[in-house]
Amino acid sequence: MDDEVRLSNLEIINNYYVFIFQGITSLLANGVYSAAYPLHDGDYEGENVEPNDRKLLCEEWASYGVFYKYQPIDLVRKYFGEKIGLYFAWLGVYTQMLIPASIVGIIVFLYGCATVDENIPSMEMCDQRNNITMCPLCDKTCSYWKMSSACATARASHLFDNPATVFFSVFMALWAATFMEHWKRKQMRLNYRWDLTGFEEEEDHPRAEYEAKVLEKSLRKEHKHKETDKEKLTWKDRFPAYLTNFVGIIFMVGLTFAIVFGVIIYRISTAAALAISSTPSGRSSVRVTVTATAVIINLVVIIILDEVYGCIARWLTQIEVPKTDKNFEERLIFKAFLLKFVNAYTPIFYVAFFKGRFVGRPGDYVYIFHSFRMEECAPGGCLMELCIQLSIIMLGKQLIQNNLFEIGIPKMKKFIRYLKLKRRRSLDHEEHMKKKQRYEVDYNLEPFAGLTPEYMEMIIQFGFVTLFVASFPLAPLFALLNNIIEIRLDAKKFVTELRRPVAVRAKDIGKWILLLYPCLFIPGLMAGYCYAFVISFTSDFIPRLVYLYMYSENGTMHGFVNHTLSSFNVSDFQAGTAPNDPLDLGYEVQICRYKDYREPPWSENKYDISKDFWAVLAARLAFVIVFQNLVMFMSEFVDWIIPDIPKDISQQIHKEKVLMVEVFMREEQGKLQMLETWKDKDKRKGENCNNHSPRLSRSRSGSLSSCHSYPLDV
Amino acid sequence: MDDEVRLSNLEIINNYYVFIFQGITSLLANGVYSAAYPLHDGDYEGENVEPNDRKLLCEEWASYGVFYKYQPIDLVRKYFGEKIGLYFAWLGVYTQMLIPASIVGIIVFLYGCATVDENIPSMEMCDQRNNITMCPLCDKTCSYWKMSSACATARASHLFDNPATVFFSVFMALWAATFMEHWKRKQMRLNYRWDLTGFEEEEDHPRAEYEAKVLEKSLRKEHKHKETDKEKLTWKDRFPAYLTNFVGIIFMVGLTFAIVFGVIIYRISTAAALAISSTPSGRSSVRVTVTATAVIINLVVIIILDEVYGCIARWLTQIEVPKTDKNFEERLIFKAFLLKFVNAYTPIFYVAFFKGRFVGRPGDYVYIFHSFRMEECAPGGCLMELCIQLSIIMLGKQLIQNNLFEIGIPKMKKFIRYLKLKRRRSLDHEEHMKKKQRYEVDYNLEPFAGLTPEYMEMIIQFGFVTLFVASFPLAPLFALLNNIIEIRLDAKKFVTELRRPVAVRAKDIGKWILLLYPCLFIPGLMAGYCYAFVISFTSDFIPRLVYLYMYSENGTMHGFVNHTLSSFNVSDFQAGTAPNDPLDLGYEVQICRYKDYREPPWSENKYDISKDFWAVLAARLAFVIVFQNLVMFMSEFVDWIIPDIPKDISQQIHKEKVLMVEVFMREEQGKLQMLETWKDKDKRKGENCNNHSPRLSRSRSGSLSSCHSYPLDV
């Protein structure tokens, strides 16, 4: 009698929910309804507002006044669901972890400031007596210049290029590893507190677009073959979409590269143009002007392309027709991340690893398009420029995106909606009279668009903080300041500006952790590499060490600047490239110097790459190997030494498991015993029953008579 | 009435088993019984033996005749338990995976053989016309020698040092990654088939030794403080043992290093001594003789120390008094692995990475103890010597350990036991008459000593196969041949020579997989490094590439040998180090050559390290970075692309889970419904009952009367 398959209560509820949800989705898609959303708890401001969760959140969370307090994560979870709760918890942990990083960063920066006057190389560069004549920075129009004129740059670059930077890189690698472990533990703790430990994500239902496409395909096919199998989209159906995706992404990456390349050309040509027109005194500020304007162009392009790429990524994902919502999100994240990463980091990677490396040498420069000479780094090393680039892009991006896109545009949208409403209101006065319903008030809010942009912003910022921290020790501080605002800004947005999102359960932050990994954990992939290469190739750390241990005569850095400069005989200039105005400095120049390791003009193989070059290169590569592996091992070590599950939680879970088994056993035993007793009683009473009405009990014995049934023998 | 905590059946059985098992352990420890073991199924040979599992295993598994067949793993598991089953399954997978590696290895070796006559560097070295005079290999007694006399070595080293080796290294890195993934999948499949998917290992019970020590401690303490808390051993109690361990391990590692160092001294001094006494014609064979004898000494030392270290590791673990058996095993494995690894690999690491690197240069050699000149590598590169070293140690170790320790010694022990038995048998004739019981027969077998030595042997072999495969492409072949024998040998041992082991459940091969990992998977730790460093530093691959692209005039390798040799003016020899017999070659030598990148005698900084040296070093380091990361990425990629759980198994598990939930739900619902019906019936009958005997039912309502009880409301 129990053989028919029944749906359990749980299943019924579940299916019912899915039915409703799916139904609403298609009604929304067909435009029957214009929106569907859960209602907010009530108003968050006003005089006669009853206390509610929204008001509480607004006061205790979404306010800049409480920036120093922990977030009320449990209340956030209660109000918005686990997924959004986890986002804010993650943001909180990240911000909290930025505090020690900022402190160490400030100390490193202060160390740089304090030792700037003791730094022998920059002292030598600033020393007027050394009187080093440098080769011109551009053909014809530029003249020779004195090393001491780059004194300010040299001193400034010491702030970021000193031994403490190496220590700070190691520290930040460890910090990143610790952060990941700390977050895993926090997540486990939250999972336990929010009762998600046993929760497994269910399989998603296909998206409406996918179903439509499948239907269309099966109709088309039926038309031809009359096959009515369950259809699904194959690789063949998706090929055009994949091709579009591939081409689109390649095109956009190419576009980014082209823009960066364009900015380089801009920089080269403007520098040359400015050098002609400016007065000699203003010539020293040329470099700064050009660098700054170029970075600002870069920044504006990055911010615009960021938005454009976001839309394109969404469109590309839509034409792919992914099967489920989860699939959709994953693909979108991948594409958006790829594009935005390339967009934000290309100019920085260029400055860090390529700028000034393919310059050639005086008399044999490398030209682009046969007319633009490749740009060189400032005499203090490219690290200074990397630092400017990084700080402007990072700060500018944060400020503009936060202010414009997260405050300005929503405010504007709200204002437009308000205007529209006002116009309508003036049309029908009656509606204005009665108090508006909750759903009407909420309808005026922005719909919730998913957490993807929020996470994306943070991941890109995380990249700035971890990847290039070697060149900019204040990055964690700026990130910290930004995030303190960001948390409250996002909170405000969620509480006051957005319709209440549908609560979604989630056990972890999903794919995002995977995007944090490549920045950190495929060991050595990004952080290890970046630190190692920035320190060894962009900074002057290794050449200095090599000089100190191989060449220095008295064990000090005296003579280092001279050692890094090669000599060039001005008579070897190619025709038409020598400066037009060689007597600019007031004396005739015969030998000018340039930054490279090459043989002097009086050597047998003049201007060939010298032995020093290879020695320094070997030292740099050796440093990369040692450093990369050191970072990798330490990260692995941190990963290994900090357990993923906090001990108290794992003990608690174990205890509960044991307890549950015990309770279950006892209950089962209780049931059995009860039924046993019953059976006994029943038998005994059966005799009574028999006495009482023997015919009845016999006839019913097949269908569970109370006298002769052994219910647990099913 | 059900509130008392009762032990479930399962718990009772479990505790009972533990009780018996613990009891037997202590009885055994006290010497009441001399052994406790499960009985074998019956005899495995003889005429009138009934068919049994043991006989079947002996015929279908433990026989060399079936070496080409898959092992009957399920039967092995049935007979010996999961733990041993997994060992043989692992061995089988490993052996199977060695087949493709062997094939590719043979192809690479054959490629080397085929191209040996086209190899320009070795042709140049063999060319009598080049007439290159080399500097003497030892002070005074050795004379100058002609490059062409090392022709054979140069040709042989091409077999192992050719571009195919680089390809093979990459292949083996991928192979190792694939092997690990393949094993994980196989293990998952076995777990599913053997119903271990839900199985969690239970907490172990403390070992008898630990309990004794704790008791002792608490007694001592009670004596002083009268505290009777549950005692446990603290760090303080264990400090002496830890110290002993630490000192012991350091000492033994030092001993290994000292022995290797001793062998080096032996090699240097013998080479010099032989060079004096031998005739000029025999002088060329000196190197081979010395190398071979030295390697054999190394081999013997390794094999002896292997056994000694095994015992010491066990002793060191015993004095540590680990808490549980699992703890004990883990610590033992760690120590034994460390010692045996250092023991087996130190001489190989020395040849691969240190030999010939600290030689100095003619006129300024490096001396050990002021009298022994550091040894150089053969002119064809150290790779040849590494290959000899590796093949002798690997083959010798396998042959001797297999034959002597796994066949010889057990046979001898059996024979001794047989002799003893015979003597006793001659004393009491009566016993001889009756047919012996199973337990008596089995008592004569060796006790089972755990799988540790078996795994250890395989892990060390795995290291030989993966770590230095770049220098010896036939290693997988030798390992394959060894393992084909090893499987059947081990099987024979388990079936015929050992008492039947107590079956132990295990889900995986435990710590051993962790020992495979460091050989492979802490990416780049061992395999990545070893390949990268062997190829770039031990082989001549990189210098050849550098020559080809930087120096070669016509794009061929002609002139490479000349390029790698530096010149030395014999008048610059230090007093007393010039050869006694300089006219040995028949003409006067003014310039001799040696293998290094140094400035020639006519240069300004004569004998200084030259630019070429730094260029080659930079290329080598760059290769290490590229190669190591390539290997790492490919391993990660293989790891990522092959899912750990085979798809059919994961689907099956999912299906079963769904089914189980369904069945459970249905059953629970059935029970509920039944009780519901019952309640109804009961009520209706209750009216009858009331009529029948109202007093009784009322008085019993508290204690489960059959009329008014609602049993599931507990």
Side-chain angles (χ1 to χ4, degrees):
Chain A
M1 65 176 290
D2 285 313
D3 281 359
E4 8 173 338
V5 179
R6 284 157 200 262
L7 291 170
S8 72
N9 282 356
L10 207 77
E11 277 173 78
I12 291 170
I13 289 170
N14 203 9
N15 287 355
Y16 185 63
Y17 171 76
V18 166
F19 175 74
I20 290 177
F21 198 72
Q22 290 287 84
I24 278 186
T25 315
S26 39
L27 288 173
L28 282 172
N30 295 331
V32 178
Y33 292 115
S34 65
Y37 44 88
L39 297 182
H40 273 299
D41 261 14
D43 285 328
Y44 57 91
E45 54 185 5
E47 281 163 30
N48 301 318
V49 176
E50 288 161 38
N52 60 45
D53 279 349
R54 196 186 183 193
K55 189 154 179 274
L56 197 61
L57 275 175
C58 192
E59 282 161 7
E60 293 298 318
W61 181 52
S63 148
Y64 294 115
V66 292
F67 76 92
Y68 56 91
K69 283 187 186 169
Y70 282 109
Q71 303 176 75
I73 284 297
D74 289 323
L75 190 62
V76 174
R77 174 241 177 180
K78 186 185 157 208
Y79 197 80
F80 292 112
E82 280 82 3
K83 205 169 178 181
I84 292 172
L86 273 175
Y87 166 68
F88 281 104
W90 181 79
L91 198 53
V93 167
Y94 173 41
T95 306
Q96 200 185 339
M97 285 293 290
L98 278 173
I99 297 172
S102 307
I103 293 171
V104 178
I106 293 170
I107 292 171
V108 166
F109 183 73
L110 289 179
Y111 170 83
C113 292
T115 56
V116 72
D117 287 330
E118 297 160 20
N119 184 35
I120 296 170
S122 65
M123 269 163 64
E124 279 188 345
M125 280 177 80
C126 294
D127 198 340
Q128 298 279 350
R129 286 167 302 169
N130 273 337
N131 198 14
I132 296 172
T133 311
M134 300 294 291
C135 296
L137 288 169
C138 62
D139 291 349
K140 287 192 237 173
T141 50
C142 303
S143 181
Y144 304 104
W145 54 286
K146 300 203 89 172
M147 181 67 145
S148 52
S149 69
C151 174
T153 332
R155 284 171 64 89
S157 77
H158 174 75
L159 297 182
F160 307 105
D161 189 1
N162 59 53
T165 316
V166 179
F167 156 76
F168 191 54
S169 301
V170 177
F171 172 81
M172 283 305 286
L174 278 189
W175 173 84
T178 317
F179 166 60
M180 297 300 282
E181 286 306 305
H182 185 58
W183 168 244
K184 276 191 218 153
R185 288 164 69 88
K186 177 82 183 177
Q187 187 168 272
M188 198 62 219
R189 212 175 274 279
L190 288 178
N191 272 340
Y192 177 73
R193 206 158 75 197
W194 296 348
D195 206 14
L196 293 167
T197 40
F199 165 69
E200 274 176 50
E201 267 163 65
E202 280 159 45
E203 277 175 51
D204 255 356
H205 299 273
R207 304 179 77 227
E209 287 90 341
Y210 180 82
E211 298 261 344
K213 188 110 184 207
V214 167
L215 194 70
E216 189 188 314
K217 185 191 170 188
S218 64
L219 283 175
R220 217 182 324 123
K221 214 168 183 182
E222 212 169 357
H223 202 66
K224 285 184 202 157
H225 297 289
K226 299 262 171 199
E227 277 174 54
T228 49
D229 278 348
K230 173 80 181 162
E231 286 289 342
K232 60 178 187 176
L233 294 187
T234 59
W235 202 85
K236 228 165 136 189
D237 297 310
R238 283 195 171 138
F239 182 72
Y242 283 151
L243 196 70
T244 316
N245 261 281
F246 185 73
V247 172
I249 288 171
I250 294 286
F251 172 75
M252 281 181 292
V253 170
L255 181 67
T256 307
F257 286 169
I259 288 170
V260 171
F261 188 71
V263 173
I264 295 167
I265 299 287
Y266 159 82
R267 209 152 40 195
I268 297 170
S269 52
T270 328
L274 284 178
I276 308 171
S277 59
S278 67
T279 57
S281 66
R283 213 168 280 180
S284 63
S285 66
V286 166
R287 181 177 285 276
V288 178
T289 321
V290 172
T291 306
T293 52
V295 172
I296 288 168
I297 294 175
N298 265 336
L299 174 64
V300 171
V301 169
I302 286 175
I303 289 173
I304 293 172
L305 281 190
D306 229 35
E307 297 300 310
V308 174
Y309 284 174
C311 299
I312 294 181
R314 185 166 287 274
W315 176 72
L316 283 177
T317 315
Q318 261 158 6
I319 62 167
E320 257 190 276
V321 198
K323 192 169 176 186
T324 62
D325 272 334
K326 207 178 155 193
N327 260 342
F328 185 88
E329 209 186 358
E330 279 173 12
R331 280 159 197 237
L332 175 61
I333 287 171
F334 171 74
K335 279 196 256 300
F337 178 72
L338 183 72
L339 292 174
K340 292 189 175 191
F341 185 88
V342 169
N343 185 31
Y345 289 104
T346 306
I348 294 169
F349 269 91
Y350 165 74
V351 172
F353 300 126
F354 299 103
K355 190 172 178 183
R357 294 192 195 283
F358 311 102
V359 178
R361 59 168 180 84
D364 186 22
Y365 282 115
V366 176
Y367 292 91
I368 315 173
F369 304 141
H370 299 290
S371 53
F372 298 106
R373 214 176 93 186
M374 285 295 287
E375 52 183 351
E376 289 173 55
C377 282
C382 275
L383 204 65
M384 182 64 207
E385 229 158 303
L386 177 59
C387 177
I388 295 176
Q389 186 96 21
L390 198 62
S391 51
I392 292 185
I393 290 185
M394 186 177 160
L395 280 180
K397 200 162 174 291
Q398 284 183 353
L399 285 178
I400 294 180
Q401 285 194 334
N402 272 352
N403 287 324
L404 194 70
F405 294 103
E406 300 207 15
I407 306 181
I409 291 187
K411 279 246 155 48
M412 209 171 65
K413 278 189 184 169
K414 212 177 171 184
F415 184 69
I416 292 171
R417 220 182 285 112
Y418 172 76
L419 282 185
K420 266 189 197 162
L421 214 72
K422 209 175 176 185
R423 201 177 308 151
R424 213 170 54 196
R425 208 182 282 162
S426 59
L427 291 177
D428 40 9
H429 280 274
E430 293 150 44
E431 261 189 44
H432 186 50
M433 294 293 106
K434 69 180 178 196
K435 192 177 175 292
K436 279 202 290 183
Q437 290 291 314
R438 186 76 249 154
Y439 68 86
E440 288 173 292
V441 177
D442 284 4
Y443 183 68
N444 289 332
L445 298 173
E446 277 284 292
F448 170 66
L451 287 166
T452 308
E454 316 289 338
Y455 272 120
M456 191 69 75
E457 198 191 326
M458 282 299 120
I459 298 286
I460 299 282
Q461 190 211 64
F462 190 74
F464 280 119
V465 172
T466 51
L467 293 185
F468 290 99
V469 82
S471 57
F472 188 37
L474 294 181
L477 178 68
F478 288 125
L480 174 66
L481 295 178
N482 177 68
N483 285 6
I484 288 174
I485 298 169
E486 177 80 20
I487 291 180
R488 307 303 160 175
L489 195 71
D490 278 355
K492 251 199 166 65
K493 194 171 80 180
F494 273 91
V495 175
T496 65
E497 309 272 332
L498 293 185
R499 290 176 195 158
R500 189 171 179 176
V502 176
V504 175
R505 299 191 92 182
K507 221 178 157 172
D508 47 46
I509 62 172
K511 282 284 152 197
W512 295 107
I513 199 93
L514 285 181
L515 289 182
L516 288 176
Y517 269 86
C519 296
L520 293 174
F521 266 78
I522 298 179
L525 170 63
M526 297 295 285
Y529 281 131
C530 274
Y531 295 155
F533 280 100
V534 165
I535 292 173
S536 73
F537 282 94
T538 315
S539 88
D540 267 348
F541 181 69
I542 299 296
R544 265 188 235 134
L545 277 188
V546 170
Y547 179 77
L548 204 60
Y549 292 108
M550 275 181 69
Y551 299 99
S552 176
E553 276 158 19
N554 49 3
T556 65
M557 291 299 295
H558 286 291
F560 170 72
V561 174
N562 193 34
H563 177 254
T564 59
L565 298 175
S566 299
S567 301
F568 180 73
N569 191 330
V570 296
S571 63
D572 290 331
F573 266 126
Q574 280 179 310
T577 60
N580 293 334
D581 186 17
L583 287 170
D584 200 32
L585 290 175
Y587 52 88
E588 201 184 343
V589 176
Q590 280 178 331
I591 297 286
C592 71
R593 311 292 299 270
Y594 59 102
K595 203 180 177 197
D596 207 342
Y597 294 101
R598 285 178 185 272
E599 300 284 345
W602 51 85
S603 144
E604 204 177 328
N605 314 304
K606 64 178 177 180
Y607 310 135
D608 258 13
I609 287 168
S610 73
K611 189 173 130 184
D612 297 342
F613 173 83
W614 292 111
V616 168
L617 182 63
R620 285 181 155 156
L621 290 167
F623 179 82
V624 167
I625 295 177
V626 170
F627 190 86
Q628 187 191 338
N629 287 298
L630 180 78
V631 166
M632 207 170 76
F633 277 116
M634 288 199 309
S635 305
E636 292 277 339
F637 183 72
V638 167
D639 192 29
W640 174 74
I641 210 164
I642 304 180
D644 281 2
I645 304 177
K647 208 173 176 192
D648 54 333
I649 299 285
S650 69
Q651 277 173 348
Q652 197 62 28
I653 289 174
H654 181 76
K655 220 194 262 172
E656 276 176 21
K657 212 185 246 169
V658 169
L659 211 72
M660 208 175 68
V661 168
E662 213 170 83
V663 166
F664 181 78
M665 285 285 195
R666 209 190 303 165
E667 195 172 295
E668 278 296 301
Q669 224 168 20
K671 271 187 220 167
L672 260 175
Q673 218 167 32
M674 224 169 264
L675 289 166
E676 205 74 25
T677 334
W678 218 339
K679 224 176 354 182
D680 274 8
K681 293 274 157 62
D682 227 37
K683 229 182 224 159
R684 240 185 287 155
K685 188 139 50 66
E687 289 154 25
N688 293 353
C689 284
N690 270 350
N691 292 350
H692 186 67
S693 56
R695 209 181 46 81
L696 181 79
S697 77
R698 286 251 164 92
S699 71
R700 275 182 174 176
S701 64
S703 60
L704 276 178
S705 119
S706 63
C707 288
H708 290 281
S709 63
Y710 305 106
L712 273 192
D713 291 348
V714 178
Chain B
M1 65 175 289
D2 285 313
D3 280 358
E4 2 167 349
V5 179
R6 283 155 201 261
L7 291 169
S8 72
N9 282 355
L10 207 79
E11 276 175 75
I12 291 170
I13 289 170
N14 203 7
N15 287 356
Y16 186 62
Y17 171 76
V18 166
F19 175 74
I20 289 178
F21 196 72
Q22 291 285 84
I24 279 185
T25 315
S26 41
L27 287 174
L28 282 172
N30 294 333
V32 179
Y33 291 116
S34 64
Y37 45 88
L39 296 183
H40 271 298
D41 260 16
D43 285 327
Y44 58 90
E45 55 183 3
E47 282 163 29
N48 300 319
V49 176
E50 287 162 39
N52 60 46
D53 279 349
R54 194 186 186 192
K55 189 156 178 272
L56 198 62
L57 275 176
C58 191
E59 282 162 6
E60 292 298 320
W61 182 53
S63 150
Y64 293 115
V66 292
F67 77 92
Y68 56 90
K69 284 186 186 170
Y70 282 110
Q71 304 176 74
I73 283 296
D74 290 323
L75 191 62
V76 173
R77 173 241 176 178
K78 187 185 155 205
Y79 198 81
F80 292 111
E82 280 80 4
K83 204 170 180 180
I84 292 173
L86 273 176
Y87 166 69
F88 281 104
W90 181 80
L91 199 53
V93 168
Y94 174 40
T95 307
Q96 201 185 337
M97 286 293 290
L98 278 173
I99 296 173
S102 307
I103 293 172
V104 178
I106 293 170
I107 293 172
V108 167
F109 183 73
L110 291 179
Y111 170 83
C113 293
T115 55
V116 73
D117 287 330
E118 297 159 19
N119 184 33
I120 296 169
S122 65
M123 268 163 65
E124 278 187 344
M125 279 177 80
C126 294
D127 198 341
Q128 298 280 349
R129 285 167 302 171
N130 273 337
N131 198 16
I132 296 172
T133 310
M134 301 293 290
C135 296
L137 289 168
C138 61
D139 291 349
K140 287 193 234 171
T141 50
C142 303
S143 181
Y144 304 104
W145 53 286
K146 300 204 89 173
M147 182 67 148
S148 54
S149 69
C151 175
T153 332
R155 284 171 64 89
S157 76
H158 174 73
L159 297 182
F160 306 106
D161 188 0
N162 59 56
T165 315
V166 179
F167 156 76
F168 191 55
S169 302
V170 177
F171 172 82
M172 282 305 287
L174 277 189
W175 173 86
T178 317
F179 165 62
M180 296 300 283
E181 287 305 304
H182 186 57
W183 168 244
K184 275 191 220 153
R185 287 165 69 89
K186 176 83 182 177
Q187 187 169 272
M188 199 60 220
R189 212 175 274 280
L190 288 177
N191 272 340
Y192 178 73
R193 208 159 75 197
W194 295 349
D195 207 14
L196 294 167
T197 40
F199 165 70
E200 274 177 50
E201 267 163 67
E202 283 159 42
E203 276 175 51
D204 256 355
H205 299 272
R207 304 179 78 228
E209 287 89 341
Y210 179 82
E211 298 259 341
K213 189 109 184 210
V214 168
L215 194 70
E216 191 187 313
K217 184 190 170 189
S218 63
L219 283 175
R220 217 179 328 125
K221 214 166 183 184
E222 211 170 359
H223 202 66
K224 285 186 202 155
H225 298 288
K226 297 263 172 199
E227 277 175 52
T228 49
D229 278 347
K230 172 79 183 162
E231 286 289 343
K232 61 178 186 174
L233 295 185
T234 58
W235 201 85
K236 228 165 137 189
D237 297 310
R238 285 196 171 137
F239 182 72
Y242 282 150
L243 196 70
T244 317
N245 262 282
F246 184 74
V247 172
I249 288 172
I250 294 285
F251 173 75
M252 282 182 290
V253 170
L255 181 66
T256 307
F257 286 169
I259 288 170
V260 171
F261 188 71
V263 172
I264 294 167
I265 299 287
Y266 159 83
R267 210 151 41 196
I268 297 170
S269 53
T270 328
L274 283 179
I276 309 172
S277 57
S278 65
T279 57
S281 65
R283 214 167 280 180
S284 63
S285 66
V286 165
R287 182 177 284 276
V288 178
T289 322
V290 172
T291 306
T293 51
V295 172
I296 289 168
I297 294 175
N298 264 337
L299 174 64
V300 171
V301 169
I302 286 174
I303 290 173
I304 293 173
L305 281 190
D306 229 34
E307 298 299 310
V308 174
Y309 284 174
C311 299
I312 294 180
R314 185 166 286 276
W315 176 74
L316 283 176
T317 315
Q318 263 159 6
I319 62 167
E320 256 189 277
V321 199
K323 190 167 177 188
T324 62
D325 273 333
K326 208 176 154 193
N327 260 342
F328 185 88
E329 211 186 358
E330 278 172 13
R331 280 161 197 235
L332 175 61
I333 288 172
F334 171 74
K335 279 197 257 299
F337 179 72
L338 183 72
L339 291 175
K340 292 189 175 193
F341 185 87
V342 170
N343 184 31
Y345 289 104
T346 306
I348 294 170
F349 269 92
Y350 165 72
V351 172
F353 300 124
F354 299 104
K355 191 172 177 183
R357 293 193 196 283
F358 311 103
V359 179
R361 58 169 181 85
D364 186 21
Y365 283 116
V366 175
Y367 292 91
I368 316 174
F369 304 141
H370 299 291
S371 54
F372 296 107
R373 213 176 94 186
M374 283 297 286
E375 53 184 350
E376 289 174 53
C377 283
C382 275
L383 204 65
M384 182 66 208
E385 228 158 301
L386 176 60
C387 176
I388 296 175
Q389 186 96 21
L390 197 62
S391 53
I392 292 185
I393 289 184
M394 185 178 161
L395 280 180
K397 199 160 174 291
Q398 285 183 352
L399 286 178
I400 294 179
Q401 285 194 332
N402 272 351
N403 287 326
L404 193 71
F405 293 104
E406 301 209 14
I407 306 183
I409 290 185
K411 279 247 153 49
M412 210 172 64
K413 277 190 186 169
K414 209 176 173 184
F415 185 68
I416 292 171
R417 219 182 286 110
Y418 173 76
L419 281 185
K420 266 190 197 160
L421 214 72
K422 208 174 175 184
R423 200 177 307 151
R424 211 170 56 196
R425 206 183 284 163
S426 59
L427 290 177
D428 43 7
H429 278 274
E430 292 152 44
E431 261 190 45
H432 185 52
M433 293 294 105
K434 69 180 178 196
K435 191 176 176 294
K436 280 201 288 183
Q437 289 292 313
R438 187 76 251 154
Y439 68 86
E440 289 173 293
V441 178
D442 283 3
Y443 184 68
N444 290 334
L445 298 173
E446 278 282 293
F448 169 67
L451 287 166
T452 309
E454 316 288 340
Y455 272 119
M456 194 66 77
E457 199 191 324
M458 282 299 120
I459 299 284
I460 298 282
Q461 191 211 64
F462 190 74
F464 279 120
V465 171
T466 51
L467 293 186
F468 289 99
V469 83
S471 58
F472 187 38
L474 294 182
L477 179 67
F478 288 126
L480 174 66
L481 295 178
N482 176 67
N483 285 7
I484 289 175
I485 299 170
E486 178 79 20
I487 290 180
R488 307 303 160 176
L489 194 73
D490 278 355
K492 251 199 165 68
K493 195 171 82 182
F494 273 92
V495 175
T496 64
E497 309 271 333
L498 293 186
R499 290 177 196 157
R500 191 170 178 177
V502 176
V504 175
R505 299 191 92 182
K507 222 179 157 172
D508 49 44
I509 62 174
K511 282 284 152 200
W512 296 106
I513 200 90
L514 285 183
L515 289 182
L516 288 176
Y517 268 87
C519 295
L520 292 174
F521 267 77
I522 296 181
L525 170 64
M526 297 295 285
Y529 282 132
C530 274
Y531 295 154
F533 279 101
V534 165
I535 292 174
S536 73
F537 282 94
T538 314
S539 87
D540 267 349
F541 181 70
I542 299 296
R544 266 188 234 133
L545 278 188
V546 170
Y547 179 76
L548 204 60
Y549 292 109
M550 275 181 69
Y551 298 100
S552 176
E553 277 158 18
N554 48 5
T556 64
M557 291 300 293
H558 287 290
F560 170 70
V561 174
N562 193 35
H563 177 254
T564 59
L565 297 176
S566 299
S567 300
F568 181 73
N569 191 329
V570 296
S571 62
D572 289 332
F573 266 125
Q574 279 180 310
T577 59
N580 294 335
D581 187 13
L583 287 170
D584 200 31
L585 291 174
Y587 53 87
E588 201 184 342
V589 176
Q590 280 179 330
I591 298 286
C592 71
R593 311 292 298 271
Y594 60 101
K595 205 182 174 192
D596 207 342
Y597 295 100
R598 285 178 184 273
E599 301 283 345
W602 52 85
S603 142
E604 204 178 329
N605 314 303
K606 64 178 180 181
Y607 310 136
D608 257 14
I609 288 168
S610 73
K611 188 172 129 185
D612 297 343
F613 173 84
W614 292 111
V616 168
L617 182 63
R620 284 180 156 155
L621 290 168
F623 179 82
V624 168
I625 294 177
V626 171
F627 189 87
Q628 187 192 337
N629 288 299
L630 180 78
V631 165
M632 207 170 78
F633 277 115
M634 288 200 309
S635 305
E636 292 277 339
F637 183 72
V638 167
D639 192 28
W640 175 73
I641 209 164
I642 304 179
D644 281 1
I645 303 177
K647 207 173 176 193
D648 54 332
I649 299 286
S650 68
Q651 279 173 347
Q652 197 64 30
I653 289 174
H654 181 76
K655 223 194 262 170
E656 277 176 21
K657 210 185 250 169
V658 169
L659 212 72
M660 209 174 70
V661 168
E662 213 168 82
V663 166
F664 181 79
M665 287 285 194
R666 209 190 303 165
E667 197 174 291
E668 279 295 301
Q669 220 167 23
K671 271 188 218 165
L672 260 175
Q673 216 166 32
M674 223 169 265
L675 289 165
E676 206 71 26
T677 334
W678 217 340
K679 225 177 351 182
D680 272 8
K681 293 273 159 61
D682 227 37
K683 232 183 223 159
R684 237 184 291 154
K685 189 138 46 67
E687 290 154 22
N688 294 352
C689 284
N690 271 348
N691 293 351
H692 186 66
S693 56
R695 210 183 46 80
L696 180 78
S697 74
R698 287 255 162 87
S699 70
R700 274 181 174 175
S701 66
S703 59
L704 274 179
S705 119
S706 60
C707 286
H708 290 281
S709 62
Y710 305 106
L712 274 192
D713 291 347
V714 178

